[in-house]
Amino acid sequence: MPARTMNERPAEQMPAVTDVGDPPGRLTELRIRGLGAIDDVTLELGSGLTVVTGETGAGKTMVVTGLTLLFGGRADPGRVRANGKAGVEGRLVLPPDSPAWERAADAGADPDDDGSLILARTVSAEGRSRAFLGGRSVPVGVVAELAEGLLAVHGQTDQLRLSRPAEQRRALDRYAGPAHLALLERYRDAYQRWRELAADLERRRSQARELAQAADVLRHGLEEISAAAPEPGEDEALDTQAKRLADADALRAAADEARLALVGDVTGDFGGGEAPQDATAALATAERALAGSDDPTLVLLAQDLADAVAVVSDVAAQLAGYVADLDADPGRLAEVLDRRAAITALVRKYAGPGEGLAGVLAWAEDASRRLAELDVSDEALEALAAARDTARAEVDDLAAQVSAGRRAAAEGFAAEVGRELAGLAMKSATVSFSVDSHPDEPGSEGVDDVALLLAAHPGAPPRPVHKGASGGELSRVMLAIEVVFAGADPVPVMVFDEVDAGVGGQAAGEIGRRLARLARDHQVVVVTHLAQVAAFADTHLVVDKAPDTGAGVTATDIRAVEGEDRVRELARMLSGLSDSDTGQAHARELLAVAAAART
């Protein structure tokens, strides 16, 4: 396939984001560069079931490695080719309500022009790794977090999800149903409240002396502020008042001069001497001169002058009031300056730089709240202990209900998984759940230790599944669990790496049938060496390798096969000979059987 970046994809080939029948998110394109035997290939991934086949050593596993790397998996510099840098890019199509969009937006990612989300990851031969999401460089952990709700990889060397007891417990809770999950959420809230109350009580008891001292400091500050009783904005009002009192004489002279210019010495306040013609008289004279005219323009101008006389008179009245209210009392000035000094002292002690009196009031509000948290009186401790005990009783009650729900679900879950395993060449295997409760040791998820147990054959003791199963068996157990949850699992993309190892005959066909069933509600990618599984694919990709004599390395290409090319590939998988008439006849028979089973 030709090498290109995600953004070079032709617009007419862009997938519709909301195609009817699509799973809740899928990977439409995957480009791998410089990884293992792969130089540069691009895979077009359809919805439904995609299988990847090819000769041993051709690089099929690099597809899984590339997907794992793209979604935040551990970077192995040993996989990087000699050119010194490997890269993986992928295009995700997600529905508008996918939680992944919110997490991507938090990381600063932007959707591509067609509404898809592009992921990228690079790894150097020295082990340096970078991740990109929606065109933005992000920590690898962000992509890994995103992948938890988008991708599940199941392979013989990647069984982390099923091997973790927490994941087994989570699977059992999901199987128990929505009512159980709602109950579990109530338990988590109650547990959080209980832990917070218990921690607060322990803190107050163990640090009683320190807390009491801290409370005294806060109490002293609150008393000092309360005694001063400052009002919001008082500091600015005092500054204005102090300036006015200090400059009273100069302000009065300025206001009087302005009033004299506007209305003259009508009150005799200026000594009765000769005063210049005032503005009001000049405007009135001009208005009278124009008012007697018959010209409409001059009449309008006369009205404007009359309005101006009214405005000037109003300003003059305001100036007179300002002068009357102006206080030049030295005693009042001293009082204002003393009050301002008291407010300034509070600001220095309790406010941050530039906060002013508002900072003092904010400190007082916060101190009042903290003072309640520092209360170590006998009454406060008794009340807190009572609240803690009440919260613990609620935790115990809800934990018992959660445990009962898990036990009720365990038998049915194990039975369904067992029925699926019977069709996957594990008829003698039995699956069970162990739910051990520890009421005195509540945790964030309840009081239960949940373990999925497997007895691989009759007479074998049940053991934790990741210890009692081989790699191939564990993959099939995981497949059985995923089939049980088909349609309910929120993870839209599932990858299975040779889950059919050690299986053949009818069981191989059953694996293909179950993978096809999963693909009704998910995008499923399977690396397989069985033709019986590959026959069920919606999209069949073949990995080819050939020596690159010029570069001295093995080059790998990946191509989609259909029609006769697909028949030849299945024949090769069946007999080792792609041109064998018998092999091709068997391949056509497999395709017909798979098509009938799918319908």
Side-chain angles (χ1 to χ4, degrees):
M1 287 189 178
R4 60 171 178 261
T5 64
M6 299 289 103
N7 288 331
E8 290 173 330
R9 186 174 183 178
E12 63 273 15
Q13 295 181 11
M14 293 292 185
V17 176
T18 56
D19 286 346
V20 177
D22 280 350
R26 62 189 178 98
L27 192 67
T28 62
E29 191 174 1
L30 178 69
R31 181 184 180 187
I32 304 174
R33 294 176 288 111
L35 192 64
I38 296 177
D39 180 29
D40 193 340
V41 298
T42 299
L43 290 70
E44 304 287 346
L45 302 174
S47 57
L49 176 61
T50 297
V51 300
V52 181
T53 65
E55 294 281 4
T56 300
K60 298 188 298 296
T61 302
M62 286 301 101
V63 175
V64 178
T65 301
L67 281 169
T68 304
L69 186 65
L70 180 65
F71 283 92
R74 186 179 66 87
D76 182 3
R79 301 282 193 179
V80 179
R81 285 170 66 93
N83 61 8
K85 191 173 184 179
V88 186
E89 297 175 63
R91 182 185 296 273
L92 270 172
V93 172
L94 300 169
D97 59 349
S98 172
W101 280 122
E102 182 177 356
R103 186 65 188 93
D106 290 342
D110 296 316
D112 201 24
D113 292 341
D114 67 326
S116 62
L117 181 64
I118 293 181
L119 296 81
R121 181 88 179 273
T122 61
V123 182
S124 69
E126 294 78 23
R128 290 189 298 273
S129 172
R130 296 187 65 188
F132 301 87
L133 182 64
R136 300 293 180 90
S137 178
V138 297
V140 174
V142 171
V143 180
E145 181 183 338
L146 197 72
E148 290 181 2
L150 295 176
L151 178 79
V153 177
H154 309 306
Q156 295 188 61
T157 59
D158 192 356
Q159 306 292 352
L160 295 181
R161 277 221 313 170
L162 192 61
S163 64
R164 291 195 295 262
E167 188 62 34
Q168 296 169 11
R169 182 186 62 239
R170 190 173 296 113
L172 182 59
D173 287 332
R174 281 175 43 221
Y175 181 83
H180 175 81
L181 292 175
L183 177 66
L184 181 59
E185 191 60 33
R186 286 175 55 200
Y187 170 85
R188 292 183 182 125
D189 292 341
Y191 175 81
Q192 183 65 25
R193 286 194 302 271
W194 169 64
R195 291 300 303 158
E196 290 173 354
L197 290 169
D200 191 16
L201 180 60
E202 175 62 24
R203 178 181 63 89
R204 296 196 197 193
R205 284 176 172 173
S206 63
Q207 303 176 21
R209 180 178 178 182
E210 295 86 344
L211 295 179
Q213 292 174 345
D216 286 341
V217 172
L218 293 178
R219 197 175 292 111
H220 173 76
L222 287 171
E223 290 172 354
E224 187 175 4
I225 294 172
S226 177
E231 296 292 336
E234 186 180 357
D235 51 347
E236 296 178 358
L238 288 171
D239 287 342
T240 301
Q241 193 173 3
K243 181 173 180 57
R244 179 177 295 178
L245 287 168
D247 298 339
D249 293 337
L251 294 173
R252 177 181 290 106
D256 281 336
E257 184 178 355
R259 185 165 63 91
L260 176 64
L262 293 177
V263 297
D265 187 13
V266 297
T267 62
D269 291 342
F270 301 102
E274 286 290 332
Q277 185 179 26
D278 56 86
T280 304
L283 289 171
T285 300
E287 186 269 334
R288 287 193 299 271
L290 298 179
S293 173
D294 293 332
D295 185 79
T297 300
L298 295 181
V299 170
L300 290 176
L301 292 174
Q303 183 59 50
D304 291 341
L305 287 171
D307 294 340
V309 171
V311 171
V312 169
S313 298
D314 182 61
V315 172
Q318 293 184 50
L319 287 171
Y322 175 85
V323 171
D325 293 339
L326 199 58
D327 189 358
D329 184 0
R332 175 56 184 159
L333 177 59
E335 292 175 4
V336 171
L337 292 177
D338 288 344
R339 177 64 175 172
R340 189 172 68 172
I343 296 296
T344 301
L346 293 178
V347 170
R348 289 198 187 101
K349 292 180 67 173
Y350 301 109
E355 292 180 345
L357 182 58
V360 176
L361 298 177
W363 183 94
E365 182 178 353
D366 182 63
S368 298
R369 178 187 57 78
R370 287 188 291 157
L371 193 59
E373 298 174 355
L374 298 176
D375 191 349
V376 291
S377 66
D378 291 341
E379 296 80 3
L381 294 181
E382 289 174 3
L384 189 56
R388 177 206 58 186
D389 294 342
T390 299
R392 175 58 189 267
E394 183 181 6
V395 167
D396 292 342
D397 177 60
L398 291 172
Q401 296 181 53
V402 170
S403 296
R406 285 169 174 164
R407 288 192 174 86
E411 185 175 350
F413 189 16
E416 288 198 44
V417 174
R419 283 193 292 271
E420 291 295 332
L421 287 178
L424 297 174
M426 295 180 67
K427 293 183 179 180
S428 299
T430 57
V431 176
S432 61
F433 266 101
S434 169
V435 182
D436 295 328
S437 299
H438 306 279
D440 295 333
E441 302 174 11
S444 60
E445 298 295 322
V447 296
D448 307 312
D449 289 333
V450 175
L452 180 61
L453 306 178
L454 174 70
H457 52 81
R463 301 184 63 196
V465 66
H466 61 287
K467 295 181 179 179
S470 64
E473 289 171 336
L474 186 53
S475 292
R476 276 172 273 165
V477 172
M478 295 182 72
L479 176 59
I481 290 176
E482 297 297 352
V483 171
V484 170
F485 281 128
D489 196 328
V491 177
V493 183
M494 296 181 179
V495 181
F496 294 88
D497 186 11
E498 297 192 0
V499 294
D500 47 21
V503 180
Q506 182 180 357
E510 290 298 322
I511 289 179
R513 191 187 309 272
R514 281 160 174 77
L515 289 169
R517 191 190 312 169
L518 263 184
R520 295 173 185 169
D521 302 294
H522 305 78
Q523 183 183 35
V524 179
V525 179
V526 180
V527 176
T528 182
H529 66 279
L530 290 181
Q532 294 93 325
V533 173
F536 281 87
D538 297 295
T539 303
H540 190 157
L541 302 177
V542 178
V543 179
D544 295 320
K545 68 174 182 177
D548 187 342
T549 56
V553 297
T554 298
T556 292
D557 188 26
I558 301 178
R559 57 190 172 90
V561 292
E562 297 177 346
E564 289 303 309
D565 287 339
R566 188 179 184 194
V567 170
R568 282 191 290 272
E569 172 62 13
L570 293 178
R572 181 200 63 77
M573 298 173 72
L574 288 165
S575 65
L577 300 172
S578 60
D579 295 327
S580 166
D581 292 339
T582 302
Q584 291 189 13
H586 191 184
R588 290 189 176 91
E589 182 180 3
L590 283 180
L591 289 171
V593 169
R598 291 169 64 88
T599 58

